[in-house]
Short mmCIF file of all heavy atoms in Angstrom, two decimals:
data_model
loop_
_atom_site.label_atom_id
_atom_site.label_comp_id
_atom_site.label_asym_id
_atom_site.label_seq_id
_atom_site.Cartn_x
_atom_site.Cartn_y
_atom_site.Cartn_z
N PRO H 1 121.16 172.72 -17.33
CA PRO H 1 121.37 171.32 -16.95
C PRO H 1 120.52 170.95 -15.73
O PRO H 1 120.02 171.80 -15.02
CB PRO H 1 122.85 171.27 -16.62
CG PRO H 1 123.23 172.65 -16.28
CD PRO H 1 122.30 173.54 -17.05
N GLY H 2 120.41 169.66 -15.51
CA GLY H 2 119.74 169.19 -14.31
C GLY H 2 120.67 169.30 -13.12
O GLY H 2 121.60 170.10 -13.11
N ILE H 3 120.45 168.50 -12.11
CA ILE H 3 121.26 168.54 -10.89
C ILE H 3 122.56 167.79 -11.15
O ILE H 3 122.57 166.61 -11.47
CB ILE H 3 120.51 167.93 -9.71
CG1 ILE H 3 119.19 168.67 -9.49
CG2 ILE H 3 121.36 167.99 -8.45
CD1 ILE H 3 118.26 168.01 -8.50
N ILE H 4 123.66 168.51 -11.03
CA ILE H 4 124.98 167.97 -11.33
C ILE H 4 125.68 167.60 -10.02
O ILE H 4 125.60 168.34 -9.04
CB ILE H 4 125.82 169.00 -12.11
CG1 ILE H 4 125.08 169.37 -13.40
CG2 ILE H 4 127.20 168.45 -12.42
CD1 ILE H 4 125.62 170.59 -14.07
N ASP H 5 126.36 166.47 -10.01
CA ASP H 5 127.07 166.01 -8.83
C ASP H 5 128.37 166.81 -8.66
O ASP H 5 129.37 166.51 -9.30
CB ASP H 5 127.36 164.52 -8.96
CG ASP H 5 127.89 163.92 -7.67
OD1 ASP H 5 127.84 164.60 -6.63
OD2 ASP H 5 128.33 162.76 -7.71
N THR H 6 128.31 167.82 -7.84
CA THR H 6 129.47 168.68 -7.56
C THR H 6 129.65 168.79 -6.05
O THR H 6 128.74 168.41 -5.29
CB THR H 6 129.25 170.10 -8.12
OG1 THR H 6 128.17 170.71 -7.40
CG2 THR H 6 128.96 170.10 -9.60
N PRO H 7 130.78 169.31 -5.60
CA PRO H 7 130.93 169.54 -4.16
C PRO H 7 129.82 170.45 -3.60
O PRO H 7 129.33 170.22 -2.49
CB PRO H 7 132.31 170.20 -4.05
CG PRO H 7 133.06 169.66 -5.23
CD PRO H 7 132.03 169.57 -6.33
N ALA H 8 129.40 171.44 -4.37
CA ALA H 8 128.32 172.32 -3.91
C ALA H 8 127.01 171.55 -3.76
O ALA H 8 126.23 171.81 -2.83
CB ALA H 8 128.15 173.49 -4.88
N THR H 9 126.75 170.62 -4.67
CA THR H 9 125.55 169.79 -4.57
C THR H 9 125.60 168.94 -3.31
O THR H 9 124.60 168.82 -2.59
CB THR H 9 125.40 168.89 -5.81
OG1 THR H 9 125.37 169.69 -6.97
CG2 THR H 9 124.14 168.05 -5.73
N GLN H 10 126.74 168.34 -3.04
CA GLN H 10 126.88 167.51 -1.84
C GLN H 10 126.67 168.35 -0.57
O GLN H 10 126.04 167.88 0.38
CB GLN H 10 128.26 166.83 -1.83
CG GLN H 10 128.48 165.85 -2.96
CD GLN H 10 127.42 164.78 -3.03
OE1 GLN H 10 126.97 164.26 -2.00
NE2 GLN H 10 126.99 164.43 -4.22
N GLU H 11 127.15 169.58 -0.58
CA GLU H 11 126.95 170.49 0.55
C GLU H 11 125.46 170.83 0.70
O GLU H 11 124.92 170.87 1.80
CB GLU H 11 127.77 171.76 0.36
CG GLU H 11 127.75 172.68 1.54
CD GLU H 11 128.63 173.90 1.31
OE1 GLU H 11 129.77 173.72 0.86
OE2 GLU H 11 128.15 175.01 1.58
N ALA H 12 124.80 171.06 -0.42
CA ALA H 12 123.37 171.38 -0.39
C ALA H 12 122.56 170.20 0.16
O ALA H 12 121.59 170.41 0.90
CB ALA H 12 122.88 171.74 -1.79
N ILE H 13 122.94 168.99 -0.19
CA ILE H 13 122.25 167.80 0.32
C ILE H 13 122.31 167.79 1.84
O ILE H 13 121.32 167.49 2.52
CB ILE H 13 122.85 166.51 -0.27
CG1 ILE H 13 122.55 166.43 -1.76
CG2 ILE H 13 122.32 165.27 0.45
CD1 ILE H 13 123.31 165.33 -2.48
N LEU H 14 123.46 168.14 2.39
CA LEU H 14 123.61 168.18 3.84
C LEU H 14 122.70 169.24 4.46
O LEU H 14 122.14 169.05 5.53
CB LEU H 14 125.07 168.44 4.23
CG LEU H 14 126.06 167.33 3.87
CD1 LEU H 14 127.48 167.78 4.19
CD2 LEU H 14 125.72 166.05 4.61
N ARG H 15 122.57 170.39 3.78
CA ARG H 15 121.74 171.49 4.30
C ARG H 15 120.25 171.21 4.22
O ARG H 15 119.51 171.48 5.15
CB ARG H 15 122.07 172.79 3.58
CG ARG H 15 123.26 173.51 4.19
CD ARG H 15 123.45 174.90 3.62
NE ARG H 15 124.27 174.77 2.42
CZ ARG H 15 123.94 175.22 1.22
NH1 ARG H 15 122.83 175.88 1.04
NH2 ARG H 15 124.74 175.04 0.20
N ILE H 16 119.79 170.69 3.08
CA ILE H 16 118.35 170.52 2.89
C ILE H 16 117.86 169.15 3.36
O ILE H 16 116.66 168.94 3.50
CB ILE H 16 117.92 170.74 1.42
CG1 ILE H 16 118.52 169.68 0.50
CG2 ILE H 16 118.25 172.14 0.97
CD1 ILE H 16 118.01 169.74 -0.93
N GLY H 17 118.77 168.23 3.57
CA GLY H 17 118.40 166.89 4.00
C GLY H 17 118.26 165.95 2.82
O GLY H 17 117.82 166.33 1.74
N LYS H 18 118.66 164.72 3.05
CA LYS H 18 118.66 163.73 1.98
C LYS H 18 117.25 163.44 1.47
O LYS H 18 117.05 163.28 0.28
CB LYS H 18 119.33 162.45 2.46
CG LYS H 18 119.41 161.38 1.40
CD LYS H 18 120.60 160.51 1.58
CE LYS H 18 120.67 159.39 0.59
NZ LYS H 18 120.56 159.76 -0.78
N GLU H 19 116.27 163.41 2.36
CA GLU H 19 114.90 163.11 1.94
C GLU H 19 114.37 164.17 0.96
O GLU H 19 113.80 163.83 -0.08
CB GLU H 19 113.97 163.03 3.15
CG GLU H 19 112.58 162.60 2.80
CD GLU H 19 111.71 162.46 4.04
OE1 GLU H 19 112.20 161.97 5.07
OE2 GLU H 19 110.53 162.85 3.95
N THR H 20 114.59 165.44 1.26
CA THR H 20 114.16 166.53 0.37
C THR H 20 114.90 166.45 -0.95
O THR H 20 114.33 166.61 -2.02
CB THR H 20 114.39 167.90 1.02
OG1 THR H 20 113.68 167.95 2.26
CG2 THR H 20 113.94 169.03 0.13
N HIS H 21 116.20 166.19 -0.88
CA HIS H 21 117.01 166.08 -2.09
C HIS H 21 116.53 164.92 -2.96
O HIS H 21 116.37 165.05 -4.17
CB HIS H 21 118.48 165.90 -1.73
CG HIS H 21 119.35 165.73 -2.92
ND1 HIS H 21 119.74 164.49 -3.37
CD2 HIS H 21 119.88 166.62 -3.78
CE1 HIS H 21 120.48 164.62 -4.45
NE2 HIS H 21 120.59 165.90 -4.71
N ASP H 22 116.28 163.77 -2.33
CA ASP H 22 115.81 162.60 -3.08
C ASP H 22 114.48 162.86 -3.76
O ASP H 22 114.24 162.43 -4.88
CB ASP H 22 115.71 161.38 -2.17
CG ASP H 22 117.07 160.84 -1.75
OD1 ASP H 22 118.08 161.26 -2.35
OD2 ASP H 22 117.11 160.03 -0.82
N LYS H 23 113.59 163.60 -3.08
CA LYS H 23 112.29 163.94 -3.65
C LYS H 23 112.47 164.80 -4.90
O LYS H 23 111.81 164.59 -5.92
CB LYS H 23 111.46 164.70 -2.61
CG LYS H 23 109.98 164.61 -2.83
CD LYS H 23 109.19 165.39 -1.79
CE LYS H 23 109.39 164.84 -0.40
NZ LYS H 23 108.56 165.53 0.59
N THR H 24 113.38 165.76 -4.84
CA THR H 24 113.68 166.61 -5.99
C THR H 24 114.31 165.80 -7.11
O THR H 24 113.97 165.96 -8.28
CB THR H 24 114.64 167.75 -5.58
OG1 THR H 24 114.05 168.48 -4.52
CG2 THR H 24 114.94 168.67 -6.74
N LEU H 25 115.20 164.92 -6.77
CA LEU H 25 115.94 164.14 -7.76
C LEU H 25 115.05 163.12 -8.49
O LEU H 25 115.38 162.70 -9.58
CB LEU H 25 117.11 163.43 -7.08
CG LEU H 25 118.24 162.96 -7.97
CD1 LEU H 25 118.82 164.11 -8.77
CD2 LEU H 25 119.32 162.31 -7.14
N ARG H 26 113.91 162.76 -7.91
CA ARG H 26 113.00 161.82 -8.58
C ARG H 26 112.51 162.36 -9.93
O ARG H 26 112.10 161.60 -10.78
CB ARG H 26 111.81 161.51 -7.68
CG ARG H 26 112.13 160.48 -6.65
CD ARG H 26 110.91 160.03 -5.89
NE ARG H 26 111.33 159.79 -4.52
CZ ARG H 26 110.83 160.36 -3.45
NH1 ARG H 26 109.82 161.18 -3.54
NH2 ARG H 26 111.31 160.10 -2.26
N ASN H 27 112.55 163.68 -10.10
CA ASN H 27 112.15 164.28 -11.38
C ASN H 27 113.23 164.17 -12.44
O ASN H 27 113.01 164.52 -13.58
CB ASN H 27 111.80 165.76 -11.20
CG ASN H 27 110.53 165.94 -10.41
OD1 ASN H 27 109.71 165.05 -10.33
ND2 ASN H 27 110.37 167.10 -9.83
N GLN H 28 114.40 163.72 -12.06
CA GLN H 28 115.52 163.61 -12.98
C GLN H 28 115.76 162.12 -13.24
O GLN H 28 116.37 161.43 -12.44
CB GLN H 28 116.76 164.27 -12.36
CG GLN H 28 117.85 164.53 -13.37
CD GLN H 28 118.84 165.54 -12.84
OE1 GLN H 28 118.46 166.64 -12.48
NE2 GLN H 28 120.09 165.17 -12.80
N LEU H 29 115.26 161.63 -14.36
CA LEU H 29 115.20 160.20 -14.64
C LEU H 29 116.53 159.47 -14.51
O LEU H 29 116.58 158.32 -14.10
CB LEU H 29 114.63 159.96 -16.04
CG LEU H 29 113.21 160.48 -16.26
CD1 LEU H 29 112.80 160.29 -17.71
CD2 LEU H 29 112.25 159.79 -15.33
N ARG H 30 117.62 160.11 -14.88
CA ARG H 30 118.93 159.44 -14.86
C ARG H 30 119.74 159.77 -13.62
O ARG H 30 120.92 159.46 -13.55
CB ARG H 30 119.70 159.77 -16.12
CG ARG H 30 118.93 159.29 -17.36
CD ARG H 30 119.74 159.23 -18.58
NE ARG H 30 121.05 158.69 -18.35
CZ ARG H 30 121.55 157.61 -18.91
NH1 ARG H 30 120.81 156.93 -19.73
NH2 ARG H 30 122.77 157.22 -18.69
N GLY H 31 119.13 160.40 -12.63
CA GLY H 31 119.82 160.70 -11.38
C GLY H 31 120.78 161.87 -11.50
O GLY H 31 120.74 162.64 -12.46
N LEU H 32 121.66 161.99 -10.51
CA LEU H 32 122.66 163.06 -10.52
C LEU H 32 123.53 162.94 -11.76
O LEU H 32 123.94 161.84 -12.14
CB LEU H 32 123.57 162.96 -9.29
CG LEU H 32 123.07 163.55 -7.99
CD1 LEU H 32 124.09 163.28 -6.88
CD2 LEU H 32 122.80 165.02 -8.09
N ILE H 33 123.82 164.07 -12.36
CA ILE H 33 124.66 164.08 -13.56
C ILE H 33 126.12 164.21 -13.14
O ILE H 33 126.48 165.19 -12.47
CB ILE H 33 124.29 165.26 -14.48
CG1 ILE H 33 122.82 165.18 -14.88
CG2 ILE H 33 125.19 165.31 -15.70
CD1 ILE H 33 122.31 166.44 -15.54
N PRO H 34 126.96 163.25 -13.51
CA PRO H 34 128.39 163.38 -13.19
C PRO H 34 128.99 164.59 -13.95
O PRO H 34 128.60 164.87 -15.09
CB PRO H 34 129.01 162.08 -13.70
CG PRO H 34 127.87 161.16 -13.94
CD PRO H 34 126.67 161.99 -14.18
N MET H 35 129.92 165.28 -13.33
CA MET H 35 130.55 166.44 -13.97
C MET H 35 131.19 166.06 -15.30
O MET H 35 131.20 166.85 -16.23
CB MET H 35 131.59 167.07 -13.04
CG MET H 35 130.97 167.83 -11.89
SD MET H 35 132.15 168.84 -10.97
CE MET H 35 133.16 167.59 -10.20
N LYS H 36 131.68 164.82 -15.41
CA LYS H 36 132.31 164.40 -16.67
C LYS H 36 131.32 164.40 -17.83
O LYS H 36 131.70 164.62 -18.97
CB LYS H 36 132.99 163.04 -16.53
CG LYS H 36 132.05 161.87 -16.36
CD LYS H 36 132.82 160.56 -16.34
CE LYS H 36 131.90 159.39 -16.15
NZ LYS H 36 130.93 159.17 -17.19
N ASP H 37 130.03 164.18 -17.54
CA ASP H 37 129.03 164.21 -18.61
C ASP H 37 128.87 165.62 -19.17
O ASP H 37 128.72 165.80 -20.39
CB ASP H 37 127.68 163.69 -18.12
CG ASP H 37 127.66 162.18 -17.94
OD1 ASP H 37 128.71 161.54 -18.17
OD2 ASP H 37 126.60 161.66 -17.57
N ILE H 38 128.91 166.61 -18.33
CA ILE H 38 128.84 168.01 -18.79
C ILE H 38 130.10 168.33 -19.59
O ILE H 38 130.03 168.93 -20.67
CB ILE H 38 128.69 168.98 -17.61
CG1 ILE H 38 127.45 168.66 -16.78
CG2 ILE H 38 128.68 170.43 -18.09
CD1 ILE H 38 126.14 168.79 -17.50
N ALA H 39 131.25 167.90 -19.07
CA ALA H 39 132.52 168.13 -19.78
C ALA H 39 132.49 167.46 -21.16
O ALA H 39 132.97 168.04 -22.14
CB ALA H 39 133.69 167.61 -18.96
N ASN H 40 131.92 166.26 -21.25
CA ASN H 40 131.83 165.57 -22.54
C ASN H 40 130.95 166.33 -23.52
O ASN H 40 131.26 166.39 -24.72
CB ASN H 40 131.29 164.15 -22.35
CG ASN H 40 132.31 163.23 -21.73
OD1 ASN H 40 133.50 163.48 -21.77
ND2 ASN H 40 131.83 162.15 -21.13
N GLU H 41 129.86 166.92 -23.05
CA GLU H 41 129.00 167.74 -23.93
C GLU H 41 129.78 168.93 -24.47
O GLU H 41 129.71 169.25 -25.66
CB GLU H 41 127.77 168.24 -23.17
CG GLU H 41 126.80 167.17 -22.76
CD GLU H 41 125.99 166.64 -23.92
OE1 GLU H 41 125.82 167.34 -24.93
OE2 GLU H 41 125.50 165.51 -23.79
N VAL H 42 130.53 169.58 -23.59
CA VAL H 42 131.33 170.74 -24.01
C VAL H 42 132.39 170.32 -25.01
O VAL H 42 132.59 170.97 -26.04
CB VAL H 42 131.96 171.44 -22.78
CG1 VAL H 42 132.95 172.51 -23.21
CG2 VAL H 42 130.86 172.04 -21.90
N MET H 43 133.08 169.20 -24.72
CA MET H 43 134.12 168.71 -25.63
C MET H 43 133.53 168.41 -27.01
O MET H 43 134.14 168.72 -28.03
CB MET H 43 134.79 167.45 -25.06
CG MET H 43 135.58 167.70 -23.80
SD MET H 43 137.04 168.70 -24.07
CE MET H 43 138.03 167.56 -24.97
N PHE H 44 132.35 167.80 -27.04
CA PHE H 44 131.70 167.51 -28.31
C PHE H 44 131.43 168.79 -29.08
O PHE H 44 131.70 168.88 -30.28
CB PHE H 44 130.39 166.75 -28.08
CG PHE H 44 129.53 166.64 -29.31
CD1 PHE H 44 129.91 165.81 -30.36
CD2 PHE H 44 128.37 167.38 -29.42
CE1 PHE H 44 129.13 165.72 -31.50
CE2 PHE H 44 127.58 167.30 -30.56
CZ PHE H 44 127.97 166.46 -31.60
N LEU H 45 130.91 169.81 -28.40
CA LEU H 45 130.60 171.06 -29.08
C LEU H 45 131.85 171.79 -29.57
O LEU H 45 131.78 172.55 -30.54
CB LEU H 45 129.77 171.96 -28.16
CG LEU H 45 128.36 171.45 -27.88
CD1 LEU H 45 127.71 172.29 -26.80
CD2 LEU H 45 127.52 171.44 -29.15
N LEU H 46 132.98 171.56 -28.91
CA LEU H 46 134.22 172.20 -29.31
C LEU H 46 134.97 171.46 -30.41
O LEU H 46 135.85 172.03 -31.04
CB LEU H 46 135.15 172.35 -28.10
CG LEU H 46 134.69 173.34 -27.03
CD1 LEU H 46 135.60 173.26 -25.81
CD2 LEU H 46 134.64 174.75 -27.58
N CYS H 47 134.61 170.20 -30.66
CA CYS H 47 135.37 169.43 -31.64
C CYS H 47 134.71 169.48 -33.02
O CYS H 47 133.60 169.96 -33.20
CB CYS H 47 135.56 167.99 -31.16
SG CYS H 47 134.15 166.92 -31.41
N GLU H 48 135.42 168.95 -33.98
CA GLU H 48 134.98 168.95 -35.38
C GLU H 48 133.69 168.15 -35.60
O GLU H 48 132.94 168.42 -36.54
CB GLU H 48 136.11 168.38 -36.26
CG GLU H 48 135.92 168.56 -37.73
CD GLU H 48 135.92 170.01 -38.17
OE1 GLU H 48 136.58 170.84 -37.52
OE2 GLU H 48 135.24 170.32 -39.17
N LEU H 49 133.41 167.19 -34.74
CA LEU H 49 132.21 166.35 -34.91
C LEU H 49 130.91 167.16 -34.84
O LEU H 49 129.89 166.73 -35.36
CB LEU H 49 132.18 165.26 -33.83
CG LEU H 49 133.27 164.21 -33.90
CD1 LEU H 49 133.24 163.32 -32.66
CD2 LEU H 49 133.10 163.37 -35.16
N SER H 50 130.95 168.32 -34.22
CA SER H 50 129.73 169.12 -34.09
C SER H 50 129.74 170.33 -35.02
O SER H 50 128.93 171.24 -34.86
CB SER H 50 129.58 169.60 -32.64
OG SER H 50 130.60 170.53 -32.32
N SER H 51 130.61 170.33 -36.02
CA SER H 51 130.79 171.52 -36.86
C SER H 51 129.54 171.93 -37.63
O SER H 51 129.38 173.08 -38.00
CB SER H 51 131.96 171.31 -37.82
OG SER H 51 131.66 170.25 -38.71
N SER H 52 128.61 171.00 -37.86
CA SER H 52 127.41 171.36 -38.61
C SER H 52 126.24 171.77 -37.71
O SER H 52 125.17 172.12 -38.19
CB SER H 52 126.97 170.20 -39.51
OG SER H 52 126.60 169.10 -38.72
N ILE H 53 126.45 171.74 -36.40
CA ILE H 53 125.40 172.15 -35.47
C ILE H 53 125.47 173.65 -35.26
O ILE H 53 126.50 174.19 -34.87
CB ILE H 53 125.55 171.43 -34.11
CG1 ILE H 53 125.37 169.93 -34.30
CG2 ILE H 53 124.53 171.97 -33.10
CD1 ILE H 53 125.62 169.14 -33.04
N THR H 54 124.36 174.33 -35.56
CA THR H 54 124.31 175.78 -35.35
C THR H 54 122.96 176.15 -34.75
O THR H 54 121.93 175.60 -35.12
CB THR H 54 124.47 176.55 -36.68
OG1 THR H 54 123.40 176.16 -37.55
CG2 THR H 54 125.80 176.26 -37.34
N GLY H 55 122.98 177.07 -33.82
CA GLY H 55 121.76 177.64 -33.27
C GLY H 55 120.79 176.64 -32.65
O GLY H 55 119.59 176.79 -32.80
N ARG H 56 121.29 175.65 -31.97
CA ARG H 56 120.43 174.64 -31.35
C ARG H 56 120.66 174.59 -29.85
O ARG H 56 121.75 174.88 -29.38
CB ARG H 56 120.71 173.24 -31.91
CG ARG H 56 120.49 173.12 -33.37
CD ARG H 56 119.01 173.12 -33.68
NE ARG H 56 118.80 173.18 -35.11
CZ ARG H 56 117.91 173.96 -35.68
NH1 ARG H 56 117.15 174.74 -34.97
NH2 ARG H 56 117.77 173.97 -36.98
N MET H 57 119.63 174.20 -29.14
CA MET H 57 119.78 173.94 -27.71
C MET H 57 120.06 172.46 -27.53
O MET H 57 119.39 171.62 -28.13
CB MET H 57 118.52 174.30 -26.95
CG MET H 57 118.29 175.76 -26.81
SD MET H 57 117.05 175.99 -25.54
CE MET H 57 117.06 177.75 -25.46
N ILE H 58 121.05 172.16 -26.73
CA ILE H 58 121.35 170.78 -26.41
C ILE H 58 121.17 170.65 -24.90
O ILE H 58 121.85 171.30 -24.12
CB ILE H 58 122.79 170.40 -26.82
CG1 ILE H 58 122.93 170.54 -28.34
CG2 ILE H 58 123.13 169.00 -26.35
CD1 ILE H 58 124.31 170.27 -28.86
N TYR H 59 120.21 169.82 -24.52
CA TYR H 59 119.90 169.67 -23.10
C TYR H 59 120.74 168.57 -22.49
O TYR H 59 120.79 167.47 -23.00
CB TYR H 59 118.41 169.35 -22.92
CG TYR H 59 117.52 170.46 -23.39
CD1 TYR H 59 116.95 170.43 -24.65
CD2 TYR H 59 117.25 171.54 -22.56
CE1 TYR H 59 116.12 171.46 -25.08
CE2 TYR H 59 116.43 172.58 -22.98
CZ TYR H 59 115.87 172.52 -24.25
OH TYR H 59 115.07 173.54 -24.66
N CYS H 60 121.38 168.89 -21.42
CA CYS H 60 122.13 167.89 -20.64
C CYS H 60 121.51 167.96 -19.24
O CYS H 60 122.06 168.55 -18.32
CB CYS H 60 123.62 168.24 -20.63
SG CYS H 60 124.62 166.96 -19.89
N ASP H 61 120.30 167.38 -19.14
CA ASP H 61 119.51 167.57 -17.93
C ASP H 61 119.20 166.27 -17.18
O ASP H 61 118.41 166.27 -16.25
CB ASP H 61 118.22 168.30 -18.26
CG ASP H 61 117.34 167.56 -19.24
OD1 ASP H 61 117.69 166.41 -19.61
OD2 ASP H 61 116.31 168.10 -19.64
N GLY H 62 119.79 165.18 -17.62
CA GLY H 62 119.54 163.92 -16.93
C GLY H 62 118.11 163.43 -17.05
O GLY H 62 117.65 162.65 -16.24
N GLY H 63 117.42 163.89 -18.09
CA GLY H 63 116.04 163.49 -18.28
C GLY H 63 115.07 164.17 -17.32
O GLY H 63 114.08 163.59 -16.91
N TYR H 64 115.36 165.41 -16.95
CA TYR H 64 114.55 166.12 -15.96
C TYR H 64 113.11 166.31 -16.46
O TYR H 64 112.88 166.71 -17.59
CB TYR H 64 115.15 167.49 -15.65
CG TYR H 64 114.43 168.21 -14.54
CD1 TYR H 64 114.67 167.86 -13.22
CD2 TYR H 64 113.51 169.20 -14.82
CE1 TYR H 64 114.00 168.49 -12.19
CE2 TYR H 64 112.84 169.84 -13.79
CZ TYR H 64 113.09 169.49 -12.48
OH TYR H 64 112.43 170.11 -11.47
N ILE H 65 112.16 165.98 -15.61
CA ILE H 65 110.74 166.14 -15.91
C ILE H 65 110.22 167.27 -15.05
O ILE H 65 110.32 167.23 -13.83
CB ILE H 65 109.96 164.85 -15.58
CG1 ILE H 65 110.51 163.66 -16.36
CG2 ILE H 65 108.47 165.04 -15.83
CD1 ILE H 65 109.95 162.34 -15.92
N ASN H 66 109.66 168.28 -15.67
CA ASN H 66 109.21 169.46 -14.95
C ASN H 66 107.67 169.53 -14.93
O ASN H 66 107.06 170.38 -15.52
CB ASN H 66 109.78 170.73 -15.58
CG ASN H 66 109.57 171.93 -14.71
OD1 ASN H 66 109.25 171.80 -13.54
ND2 ASN H 66 109.72 173.10 -15.29
N PHE H 67 107.08 168.55 -14.24
CA PHE H 67 105.62 168.58 -14.05
C PHE H 67 105.25 167.77 -12.84
O PHE H 67 105.96 167.09 -12.26
CB PHE H 67 104.84 168.11 -15.26
CG PHE H 67 105.15 166.72 -15.73
CD1 PHE H 67 104.49 165.62 -15.19
CD2 PHE H 67 106.09 166.50 -16.72
CE1 PHE H 67 104.77 164.35 -15.62
CE2 PHE H 67 106.36 165.23 -17.17
CZ PHE H 67 105.70 164.15 -16.62
#
């Protein structure tokens, strides 16, 4: 996943500084990923709606660009 909005992330922002964090986050098109979005991905994979999905990668990365 991309950068997820967690208490640990908030602590890291304080340590590295907001400017450095914002520079890193610019690579993630949709910004910080709320924890509920990760939970929703997991719930989808656990429910019957995803029963035909096998052997695939599902990215929950907030549109992260790695270049």
Side-chain angles (χ1 to χ4, degrees):
I3 303 171
I4 302 166
D5 190 11
T6 66
T9 303
Q10 296 305 320
E11 187 178 313
I13 292 170
L14 294 175
R15 275 189 273 126
I16 65 173
K18 182 150 177 53
E19 185 177 321
T20 302
H21 178 263
D22 289 348
K23 204 181 297 184
T24 303
L25 199 57
R26 279 188 216 123
N27 291 338
Q28 196 162 303
L29 299 176
R30 300 196 42 120
L32 278 177
I33 301 168
M35 287 191 292
K36 69 176 179 62
D37 286 2
I38 302 297
N40 287 339
E41 293 285 337
V42 172
M43 294 292 290
F44 169 71
L45 292 171
L46 292 173
C47 80
E48 191 64 30
L49 294 171
S50 67
S51 64
S52 64
I53 296 175
T54 60
R56 300 287 173 224
M57 287 195 176
I58 298 176
Y59 296 97
C60 188
D61 60 5
Y64 186 79
I65 302 170
N66 192 15
F67 58 86

